[in-house]
Amino acid sequence: MPHAKTLYEKIWDAHVVDPGDGETSLIYIDRHIIHEVTTPQAFEGLKLAGRKVRRPEAVIAVPDHNVPTKDRDKPIEDPQSAAQVAMLKEKCAEYGIEHIEMNDIRQGIVHVIGPEQGITQPGITLVCGDSHTATHGAFGALAFGIGTSEVEHCLATQTLQLKKSKTMKVEVVGEPGPWLTAKDIILAIIAHIGTSGGTGHVIEFFGPAITGLTMEGRMTLCNMAIEAGARAGLIAPDEKTFEYLQDKPRAPQGVHWNAAMAHWSTLKSDPDATFDKVAVVDVADIPPLVTWGTSPEDVAPITGTVPHPDDFANPSKQDAARKALDYLGLEAGMNIQDIKIDRAFIGSCTNSRIEDMRAAAVIARGRKVAPNVIEALVVPGSGLVKAQAEREGLDKIFTEAGFEWREPGCSMCLAMNADRVGPKERCASTSNRNFVGRQGPDARTHLMSPAMAAAAAIAGHLADVRDYPPIPPVQEAA
Amino acid sequence: MEPFKTITSKAVPFNRRNVDTDIIMPSEFLKSLSREGLGVGAFKALRYLEDGSPNPDSEFNNPAYEGAQILLAGPNIGCGSSREHAAWGIKDMGFKVIIAASFADIFYSNCFKNGIVTVILPEAQVEALMEDVKEGAEISVDLEAQTVQRPNQEVFHFDYEPFKRHALLNGLDEIGITLQKAGALDEFEKQQSQKLPWLYGAA
Ligand code: SF4
């Protein structure tokens, strides 16, 4: 009997080019997505060494991190951003890599366009010079972020020298209540296992609350596996996965579709496979969640209060909590819902897909952004998401409520373009990181789901989405 | 890459947990097209005051640690973003070794690619070293022997992945090592393209 394997082990074993010394192996990479920020030095390295790109057709490029989200008809104002975007295009032409231009309707955030184009497929290995590559694990692909030297290595060889990760099973139990989204579930998981709980591991998610998620929800969940320290997140592919991929441009077609489905159906952990680590997270009856600190593990229920640093057992955690409260300008013990905000951001590779747009629009419809909110941005994850949302009239709902409707990109998630949170300003954000300075120097970030961010924008403070029941659309006279 | 054998140097005790790569290298420095010169941006919010002058409270500006080539860090250093700029910045500041109880995965690998030796020791030992170096005392790191020597001559042992250790000790270029496996690589692609032709553009 061959020994039982986890999904991770199956994908790993199918990609070993050379087992090496048994600890570090040479692993084949099927797909590589590149963007403008973490590639210039990789191309520079290739050039210096006189090396070629081994399989340009396995690579796709799109600018996303520092593209502007408005006035796309004008040249990019920031000369450094413009130089990076121009360099990506130029290098792709030189090496024969397909490049999606900023003004192409398919342009968007790397982790939104991969699945949308059908590049992301079950069982493949996929890398990108961005840590949230974990997103693609929602399809049962082994996908992880790499640094620029690895981008260079992968361009030159279509492989990486990798150390095998340990495996971790995260089982989500309990029936989630209303408005408990994939974002809340992953925040609950990170709060439970900590930001280094998954370090050295690849997490596979299990449980009815996971299989019950749409593909969009699964992407949100796997996206933030990295925030739990994991190299990658995985969800075994199922009918929903196949259905999502069926009409995607780069998904297998014709006779290959059936062969691919047959192959994909084998991609699950064997029932008796063992994991190096197991965690069980109960999501029954938990209220929607937000973060109060500067680490994604600093999670509180929206109905709760800001914790006291002394509540933490470990002195260094107490110290970290004190620093976080100081940075965020919060008082221990205050009600979470009394935290006033200055900005709201609905977007990023975590929450910028069509389902996220719809969830935020349901709350925004028939309401107005609070006067104390300087700016409430909605940034769709790709041109295709944007077009779909516009077909559904979501853009009008947002703009009528006082939100800004922008062009796709990373935007305020990391403050590389003009969209940023000012010093000491506070933002209700659907992105994935509340780190010090992440959304701009001295910016204060609270992470939450799109519906919760919309509710916060309407309320002017962190708010419980369950207190904002959808207002039915006004019926047009027949 | 320069081969690494041993180093004896002062060390900066940087005792914070979960230091993310946004702290190590803020996004404003990611617009660079080169690997060089990023030291100025490293730990910017900690090293400089709002007016741009050096923050006297920062460990990095303490004259006792001037010229330090070893960084003693808290657990889970380098979590967050995959930006290699974090490793480039630390290298540009003059650090050749980072010692911590744990490293975030991508950061760990990025350090290796840039010849920075990443030593993992139990938290208590890292804390002992942080005490040791407070007055500017030197410690030694020997990658060949896999040891860190305290000022009182006591020695801590550490494990190191053989592949990475070999590459670091010999200053090898990783892409060069991989390209020697071209035969295995061709064979892998041949087999995979028969099994999963749709990954090779078959329509
Ligand atoms: S949206 Fe944010 S996290 Fe996602 S790829 Fe862009 S910068 Fe990275």
Side-chain angles (χ1 to χ4, degrees), chain A residues 65 109 111 130 132 348-349 410 413-414 432 438:
Chain A
H65 277 58
I109 306 172
H111 312 310
D130 183 284
H132 292 95
S348 88
C349 57
C410 295
C413 172
L414 93 164
N432 40 51
R438 172 76 178 185

Side-chain angles (χ1 to χ4, degrees), chain A residues 190 193-200 225-231 294-297 316-317 435, chain B residues 14-24 72-81 98-108 119-121 123 126 130:
Chain A
I190 297 164
I193 68 175
T195 49
S196 54
T199 302
I226 178 79
E227 265 27 273
R231 193 80 209 257
T294 52
S295 164
E297 70 186 24
S316 79
K317 276 209 114 178
F435 295 164
Chain B
F14 179 53
N15 198 5
R16 280 186 181 228
R17 309 178 82 82
N18 300 325
V19 170
D20 58 69
T21 52
D22 278 74
I23 293 182
I24 303 176
L72 294 164
N76 199 24
I77 172 94
C79 58
S81 154
I98 306 176
I99 303 177
S102 59
F103 290 77
D105 293 340
I106 306 178
F107 178 70
Y108 183 83
V119 174
I120 300 175
L121 287 177
E123 198 165 346
V126 180
M130 290 202 189

Side-chain angles (χ1 to χ4, degrees), chain A residues 458-469:
Chain A
I458 302 292
H461 53 82
L462 301 189
D464 190 337
V465 61
R466 296 170 301 178
D467 297 336
Y468 294 78

Side-chain angles (χ1 to χ4, degrees), chain B residues 89-163:
Chain B
I90 287 177
K91 187 178 180 184
D92 198 50
M93 283 175 81
F95 293 111
K96 298 201 162 76
V97 178
I98 306 176
I99 303 177
S102 59
F103 290 77
D105 293 340
I106 306 178
F107 178 70
Y108 183 83
S109 150
N110 284 342
C111 285
F112 160 68
K113 311 280 167 176
N114 289 281
I116 300 172
V117 174
T118 41
V119 174
I120 300 175
L121 287 177
E123 198 165 346
Q125 294 187 355
V126 180
E127 279 171 8
L129 290 168
M130 290 202 189
E131 279 306 313
D132 286 347
V133 304
K134 281 256 154 77
E135 309 296 329
E138 295 190 330
I139 55 176
S140 302
V141 175
D142 184 335
L143 183 61
E144 193 125 52
Q146 297 178 231
T147 56
V148 179
Q149 190 176 49
R150 303 177 67 178
N152 68 3
Q153 312 302 316
E154 191 192 344
V155 162
F156 295 144
H157 280 269
F158 58 84
D159 290 334
Y160 223 84
E161 268 174 70
F163 173 82

Side-chain angles (χ1 to χ4, degrees), chain A residues 376-459:
Chain A
L377 279 190
V378 187
V379 185
S382 72
L384 291 169
V385 171
K386 181 168 185 261
Q388 175 65 28
E390 289 173 358
R391 275 196 294 277
E392 297 177 20
L394 306 184
D395 56 323
K396 296 221 176 51
I397 295 176
F398 286 124
T399 49
E400 274 165 22
F403 290 82
E404 291 201 34
W405 179 247
R406 294 291 185 85
E407 302 288 339
C410 295
S411 180
M412 210 180 259
C413 172
L414 93 164
M416 276 195 78
N417 70 358
D419 308 336
R420 56 187 65 197
V421 179
K424 302 224 168 5
E425 286 178 0
R426 187 182 303 285
C427 183
S429 179
T430 66
S431 53
N432 40 51
R433 290 195 171 133
N434 50 357
F435 295 164
V436 168
R438 172 76 178 185
Q439 294 193 290
D442 261 331
R444 296 163 169 172
T445 303
H446 297 271
L447 305 176
M448 63 197 74
S449 75
M452 285 284 287
I458 302 292

Side-chain angles (χ1 to χ4, degrees), chain A residues 129-212:
Chain A
D130 183 284
S131 55
H132 292 95
T133 308
T135 311
H136 309 259
F139 291 79
L142 176 59
F144 48 90
I146 55 176
T148 298
S149 293
E150 286 177 313
V151 170
E152 182 182 338
H153 191 281
C154 193
L155 287 170
T157 68
Q158 205 57 41
T159 62
L160 291 173
Q161 296 277 5
L162 292 176
K163 187 180 161 198
K164 196 166 179 181
S165 298
K166 296 205 179 86
T167 55
M168 180 169 183
K169 173 181 189 169
V170 171
E171 181 147 22
V172 179
V173 299
E175 171 110 13
W179 283 115
L180 204 85
T181 67
K183 183 64 159 282
D184 302 283
I185 295 175
I186 188 65
L187 286 174
I189 293 170
I190 297 164
H192 184 88
I193 68 175
T195 49
S196 54
T199 302
H201 291 72
V202 166
I203 296 178
E204 185 174 350
F205 298 98
F206 292 88
I210 304 299
T211 45

